[in-house]
């Protein structure tokens, strides 16, 4: 019996010695430690990515940058691994942003960089810079069916398409008319993808002015070798009338000579660059002494003044407000 107790004591002592000498997991190197996918790159609109982990030790998972992104452990199986989900929001910034997923198991560690692309390279080109009436084609890869709208500049901007399907897409952005002011004018296009919106900036540089537009005094220039201008040689009264059909009648009156010069043919809704047939007649003391037809181009309208050009010598400048 005494020997039996001696053997039992020895066994328990040996077992305690073995247990006390077992290496803690924190000091061990896992025989299996693998994280997939091996690369993690998200588009600006991609909001999540799944990771699968193989590991035969206890493990932890954290993010290096907790200011953006969230890590969710969806499944954990001791001695086997688990499944993780990285979640974030749409990256509406211009630049890419990066985070690092850190897996620790025993003495080993995996660091997997997660990159979410910015909008700087989403549109090609990133902004539409227009010159004249030439369109600019904007290309992009739509993550979802998309829509486009013009919150700013709709009066002078035009889009070749306002909606489309998921995938490769392109839209032509163009100006409806030339821009003759001193500074560039600006507008914008908003693209909507589901609940996300992205703004594309648009600008149009000033076009070179036609020399006719440098003349600002209302009148009919180059008519039968003569020019009739408001405020000169007794032509001191003018009237502007829009008829019920949208046509325009402009008169220049010389009370001293009882003469009336009339221009008809312009349209109230004429667009820049539109070609029109204009009619000019001159009545002197009740007798019509001149009637001519001209093919003219509507050059521009600003502050109620309209410019129509027949050629370099013949052109018409009329003001909408009556000048008496």
């Amino acid at each position: 019996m005494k020997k039996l107790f001696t053997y039992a004591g020895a066994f328990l002592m040996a077992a305690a010695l073995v247990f006390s000498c077992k290496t803690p997991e924190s000091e061990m190197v896992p025989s299996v430690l693998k994280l997939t996918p091996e690369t993690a790159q998200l588009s600006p609109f991609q909001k999540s990515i799944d990771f699968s982990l193989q590991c035969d030790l206890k493990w932890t998972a954290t993010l290096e940058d907790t200011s953006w992104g969230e890590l969710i452990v969806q499944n954990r199986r001791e001695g086997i691994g688990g499944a993780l989900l990285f979640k974030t929001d749409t990256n509406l910034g211009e630049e890419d942003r990066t985070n690092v997923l850190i897996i620790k198991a025993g003495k080993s560690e995996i660091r997997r960089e997660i990159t979410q692309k910015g909008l700087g390279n989403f549109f090609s080109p990133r902004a539409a810079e227009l010159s004249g009436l030439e369109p600019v084609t904007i290309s992009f890869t739509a993550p979802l069916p998309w829509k486009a709208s013009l919150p700013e500049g709709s009066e002078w901007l035009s889009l070749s398409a306002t909606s489309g399907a998921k995938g490769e897409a392109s839209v032509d952005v163009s100006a409806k008319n030339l821009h003759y002011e001193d500074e560039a004018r600006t507008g914008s296009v908003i693209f909507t993808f589901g609940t996300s919106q992205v703004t594309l900036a648009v600008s149009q540089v000033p076009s070179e002015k036609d020399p006719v537009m440098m003349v600002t005094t209302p009148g009919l220039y180059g008519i039968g070798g003569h020019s009739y201008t408001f405020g000169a040689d007794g032509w001191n009264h003018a009237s502007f009338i829009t008829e019920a059909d949208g046509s325009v009648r402009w008169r220049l009156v010389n009370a001293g000579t009882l003469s009336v010069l009339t221009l008809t043919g312009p349209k109230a809704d004429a667009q820049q660059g539109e070609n029109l047939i204009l009619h000019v007649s001159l009545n002197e003391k009740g007798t019509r002494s001149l009637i001519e037809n001209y093919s003219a181009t509507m050059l521009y309208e600003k502050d109620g003044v309209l410019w129509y050009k027949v050629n370099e010598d013949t052109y018409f400048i009329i003001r909408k407000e009556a000048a008496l």
Side-chain angles (χ1 to χ4, degrees):
M1 182 64 68
K2 184 177 181 180
K3 289 183 177 181
L4 180 59
F5 282 113
T6 301
Y7 289 142
F11 176 79
L12 291 173
M13 185 177 295
L17 182 62
V18 171
F19 182 78
S20 65
C21 294
K22 184 179 179 181
T23 305
E25 280 203 7
S26 61
E27 298 299 321
M28 296 174 65
V29 175
S31 58
V32 178
L33 184 59
K34 183 178 181 181
L35 182 67
T36 55
E38 295 184 355
T39 59
Q41 188 171 94
L42 289 71
S43 75
F45 300 93
Q46 187 178 347
K47 298 182 179 181
S48 65
I49 185 171
D50 291 298
F51 291 94
S52 177
L53 176 67
Q54 292 177 290
C55 181
D56 60 347
L57 295 180
K58 292 181 179 180
W59 52 271
T60 62
T62 58
L63 290 175
E64 184 176 71
D65 185 354
T66 58
S67 66
W68 73 278
E70 177 186 6
L71 188 63
I72 300 173
V73 177
Q74 295 183 307
N75 177 270
R76 182 189 294 271
R77 300 177 64 187
E78 297 297 339
I80 295 177
L84 304 98
L85 175 67
F86 175 81
K87 294 178 63 178
T88 186
D89 295 318
T90 301
N91 183 10
L92 297 178
E94 293 295 306
E95 304 298 326
D96 299 352
R97 58 183 178 181
T98 60
N99 212 324
V100 178
L101 170 58
I102 304 170
I103 303 293
K104 291 184 178 181
K107 298 180 67 174
S108 299
E109 178 181 285
I110 292 178
R111 299 177 66 87
R112 184 61 40 80
E113 186 173 86
I114 303 171
T115 301
Q116 187 180 33
K117 304 294 287 183
L119 294 174
N121 295 317
F122 181 72
F123 291 115
S124 180
R126 181 62 181 95
E129 298 179 354
L130 305 177
S131 177
L133 302 178
E134 289 298 314
V136 171
T137 300
I138 305 298
S139 301
F140 56 95
T141 302
L144 296 168
W146 57 273
K147 294 181 180 180
S149 60
L150 292 167
E152 180 187 3
S154 59
E155 70 279 4
W156 61 273
L157 277 175
S158 178
L159 303 176
S160 63
T162 56
S163 63
K166 175 182 178 180
E168 298 298 321
S170 63
V171 176
D172 287 344
V173 182
S174 57
K176 297 177 182 178
N177 46 52
L178 296 174
H179 175 58
Y180 292 116
E181 304 303 317
D182 295 332
E183 302 293 332
R185 60 181 172 181
T186 60
S188 61
V189 185
I190 287 184
F191 288 88
T192 303
F193 307 93
T195 59
S196 299
Q197 292 187 332
V198 183
T199 301
L200 177 84
V202 183
S203 62
Q204 185 187 28
V205 299
S207 300
E208 184 176 354
K209 288 185 179 181
D210 188 295
V212 169
M213 294 176 58
M214 305 304 291
V215 182
T216 58
T217 302
L220 306 184
Y221 295 79
I223 303 297
H226 299 279
S227 293
Y228 304 87
T229 60
F230 179 77
D233 301 324
W235 297 92
N236 295 325
H237 303 277
S239 65
F240 182 97
I241 300 173
T242 301
E243 306 287 0
D245 61 357
S247 63
V248 169
R249 181 184 301 271
W250 189 75
R251 283 196 173 104
L252 192 60
V253 179
N254 189 321
T257 62
L258 301 179
S259 301
V260 178
L261 191 62
T262 304
L263 173 70
T264 58
K267 296 187 298 182
D269 59 352
Q271 300 297 311
Q272 185 186 86
E274 186 174 348
N275 291 321
L276 303 166
I277 300 299
L278 305 185
H279 315 281
V280 177
S281 63
L282 175 61
N283 284 271
E284 297 177 294
K285 297 181 179 179
T287 301
R288 179 169 294 180
S289 60
L290 172 69
I291 183 168
E292 295 285 350
N293 295 327
Y294 297 92
S295 177
T297 300
M298 197 279 217
L299 289 181
Y300 198 53
E301 177 181 358
K302 181 183 179 182
D303 299 332
V305 178
L306 301 100
W307 286 262
Y308 299 89
K309 179 180 178 180
V310 178
N311 52 46
E312 299 300 326
D313 300 315
T314 302
Y315 48 92
F316 314 132
I317 303 171
I318 64 177
R319 185 182 295 277
K320 288 185 177 181
E321 294 82 4
L324 302 175

